[in-house]
């Protein structure tokens, strides 16, 4: 049983945070497009960012800020323009954005972190951003999480938010998070955008280590389409406002906090995979029996990312051969005679030997998952064992539908 409970409040559930989201005119749709998260005090800051060689200006900006200073108070996010591949002017726009929000908040510009999402190659509409900042700051609220979550999305169908609470040192500690992402998601820093707040006190090095591991077990274990964004950013703040003793070394308290951080990240990551462009169901792949966790996750990610597996699930075809083929090309050695594959409760392969199973019932399982009617709502469970090792890992993805092509064929038109 988990050592935490789910609470309301999202990104502003932890003590000492406010958030806001407004319509500034950045999106052609007229929907909310500018978000702000603010800590009442300087917070320890950590980040994980895209590994792409083509990076948005906000990514370079945040990396520079976090290398020089492990603290921040504010995160400003614009939606509509990615400000990636925009040259020197894109960098100057990022700098101006940081300075403008810092001035409005009366804080140092070094305490501001940035994120952007939208069409690659398009600069931020700076006139709209400048005009929107006073309204954004005025909208800050301790109940502003939903507004911020709405203002960071683009092709998402739903907002993504979570907050959990545990007890450390006989005092409640909370972690909240919001995220966006629906396409251009692949397990190579695949957050798109994720923001996490925490009211515990944690040392900078430990907080960064926790976030990196949590990202590996969540955002770096999801895939929608095999593409990695230029803007992927996962930023986490810890402001110490729970008034618990500072966590400075590995131990029971750090492990409890990291487990809750991982749970928050996994919830948001699965929400992104579930909301994949054109998706009708979430796919969860669990691999056991590998040599180590890294190997198990690699196999799981390969299966979840296979276009053939994803297409078969969309077609409600229980074609386990595609699962076996994906596992075999994952780059992880295992003996074929040890391979076991299950789809839901249907055992299809045991000790490398195919088994007879009810294909009609297995297809019905996939159909029911597509409408959220099966045991675990809209989740298709694929379970694979590759041996007797202790390594186990999970990955998440979604099916590949006709709508994915339509959405992306029309993205800029």
């Amino acid at each position: 049983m988990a050592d935490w409970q789910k609470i309301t409040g999202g990104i502003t559930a932890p003590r000492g945070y406010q958030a806001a989201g407004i319509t500034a005119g950045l999106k052609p749709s007229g929907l909310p497009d500018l978000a702000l998260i603010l800590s009442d005090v300087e917070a320890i800051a950590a980040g994980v960012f895209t590994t792409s060689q083509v990076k948005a200006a906000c990514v370079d900006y945040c990396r520079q800020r976090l290398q020089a200073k492990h603290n921040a108070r504010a995160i400003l996010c614009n939606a509509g323009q990615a400000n990636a591949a925009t040259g020197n002017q894109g960098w100057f726009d990022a700098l101006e954005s940081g300075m403008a929000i810092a001035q409005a908040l009366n804080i140092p510009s070094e305490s501001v972190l940035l994120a952007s999402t939208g069409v690659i190659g398009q600069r931020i509409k700076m006139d709209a951003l400048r005009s929107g900042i006073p309204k954004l700051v005025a909208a800050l609220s301790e109940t502003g999480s939903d507004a911020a979550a709405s203002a960071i999305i683009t092709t998402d169908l739903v907002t993504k938010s979570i907050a959990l609470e545990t007890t450390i040192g006989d005092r409640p500690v909370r972690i909240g998070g919001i995220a966006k992402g629906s396409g251009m998601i692949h397990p190579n820093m695949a957050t798109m955008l994720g923001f996490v707040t925490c009211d515990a006190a944690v040392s900078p090095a430990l907080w960064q280590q926790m976030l990196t591991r949590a990202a590996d077990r969540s955002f770096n274990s999801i895939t929608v389409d095999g593409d990695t964004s230029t803007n992927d950013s996962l930023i986490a703040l810890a402001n110490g406002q729970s008034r618990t003793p500072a966590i400075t070394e590995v131990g029971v308290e750090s492990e409890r906090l990291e487990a809750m951080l991982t749970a928050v990240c996994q919830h948001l990551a699965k929400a992104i995979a579930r909301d994949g462009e054109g998706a009708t169901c979430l796919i969860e792949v669990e691999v056991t029996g590998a040599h180590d966790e890294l190997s198990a996750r690699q196999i799981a990610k390969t299966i979840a990312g296979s276009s053939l597996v994803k297409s078969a699930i969309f077609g409600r075809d229980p074609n386990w051969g595609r699962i076996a083929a994906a596992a075999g090309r994952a780059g992880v050695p295992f003996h074929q005679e040890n391979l076991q594959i299950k789809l839901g409760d249907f055992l299809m392969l045991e000790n490398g030997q195919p088994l007879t199973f009810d294909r009609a019932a297995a297809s019905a399982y996939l159909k029911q998952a597509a409408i959220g009617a099966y045991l675990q709502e809209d989740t298709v469970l694929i379970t694979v064992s590759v041996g007797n090792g202790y390594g186990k890992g999970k990955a998440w993805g979604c099916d590949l539908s006709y709508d994915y092509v339509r959405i992306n064929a029309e993205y800029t038109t």
Side-chain angles (χ1 to χ4, degrees), residues 42-68:
E42 283 284 326
I44 299 302
V48 182
F49 302 96
T50 185
T51 57
S52 174
Q53 295 301 303
V54 180
K55 299 179 290 295
C58 59
V59 171
D60 289 330
Y61 176 97
C62 286
R63 280 179 166 155
Q64 287 189 18
R65 289 285 187 264
L66 292 176
Q67 285 173 0

Side-chain angles (χ1 to χ4, degrees), residues 7-358:
I7 59 174
T8 60
I11 200 79
T12 53
R15 291 163 185 80
Y17 291 97
Q18 301 177 71
I22 66 163
T23 299
L26 299 170
K27 290 179 182 175
S29 64
L31 293 172
D33 49 24
L34 192 61
L36 178 63
I37 300 164
L38 178 68
S39 173
D40 292 347
V41 298
E42 283 284 326
I44 299 302
V48 182
F49 302 96
T50 185
T51 57
S52 174
Q53 295 301 303
V54 180
K55 299 179 290 295
C58 59
V59 171
D60 289 330
Y61 176 97
C62 286
R63 280 179 166 155
Q64 287 189 18
R65 289 285 187 264
L66 292 176
Q67 285 173 0
K69 177 183 177 183
H70 302 295
N71 301 81
R73 281 196 61 189
I75 303 170
L76 177 69
C77 177
N78 71 279
Q81 300 85 43
N83 199 24
T86 49
N88 291 334
Q89 191 57 55
W91 172 248
F92 295 138
D93 290 343
L95 290 177
E96 183 182 348
S97 299
M99 289 188 287
I101 194 66
Q103 184 175 10
L105 293 169
N106 195 27
I107 63 175
S109 60
E110 292 79 9
S111 295
V112 174
L113 298 174
L114 302 175
S116 300
T117 182
V119 180
I120 295 169
Q122 291 188 4
R123 289 173 49 200
I124 302 169
K125 295 179 180 178
M126 292 303 296
D127 288 344
L129 185 139
R130 292 185 201 102
S131 299
I133 282 178
K135 179 183 174 183
L136 182 66
V137 172
L140 280 168
S141 166
E142 292 179 355
T143 58
S145 180
D146 289 346
S150 295
I152 66 174
I153 63 175
T154 49
T155 59
D156 307 53
L157 297 178
V158 296
T159 59
K160 301 157 183 71
S161 176
I162 183 68
L164 301 178
E165 179 181 274
T166 191
T167 301
I168 294 178
D170 297 325
R171 291 185 64 86
V173 170
R174 298 172 178 175
I175 299 180
I178 60 174
K180 69 85 55 181
S182 184
M184 205 173 280
I185 307 293
H186 191 61
N188 191 15
M189 188 54 224
T191 313
M192 274 306 296
L193 299 181
F195 308 121
V196 174
T197 57
C198 175
D199 54 18
V202 192
S203 69
L206 198 56
W207 188 233
Q208 180 65 58
Q209 292 165 12
M210 288 181 182
L211 187 67
T212 300
R213 286 191 292 264
D216 282 341
R217 293 167 177 163
S218 58
F219 296 114
N220 286 349
S221 293
I222 60 172
T223 181
V224 169
D225 48 19
D227 276 294
T228 297
S229 168
T230 56
N231 291 55
D232 290 335
S233 301
L234 172 61
I235 299 171
L237 305 179
N239 68 5
Q241 293 301 288
S242 64
R243 305 302 181 189
T244 51
I247 300 173
T248 59
E249 57 186 29
V250 176
V252 174
E253 292 181 344
S254 72
E255 290 174 355
R256 180 185 292 255
L257 188 67
E258 182 175 340
M260 189 165 70
L261 174 63
T262 301
V264 165
C265 290
Q266 286 184 343
H267 175 93
L268 296 173
K270 286 192 284 186
I272 288 174
R274 178 178 280 114
D275 194 27
E277 289 170 340
T280 68
C281 62
L282 175 71
I283 303 170
E284 178 174 301
V285 183
E286 181 175 17
V287 174
T288 61
H291 176 69
D292 52 29
E293 179 185 350
L294 186 62
S295 298
R297 284 209 313 267
Q298 181 61 34
I299 297 171
K301 289 191 288 187
T302 304
I303 296 169
S306 165
S307 294
L308 290 177
V309 172
K310 291 154 68 71
S311 299
I313 291 174
F314 173 68
R316 321 310 170 204
D317 178 11
N319 186 347
W320 61 264
R322 293 182 173 180
I323 300 171
R329 67 174 175 83
V332 176
F334 63 85
H335 295 293
Q336 181 173 325
E337 58 269 23
N338 292 331
L339 187 62
Q340 179 193 86
I341 296 174
K342 289 178 67 177
L343 179 65
D345 293 329
F346 299 93
L347 183 61
M348 300 175 164
L349 188 74
E350 179 88 69
N351 297 322
Q353 297 295 316
L355 301 177
T356 300
F357 65 94
D358 189 335

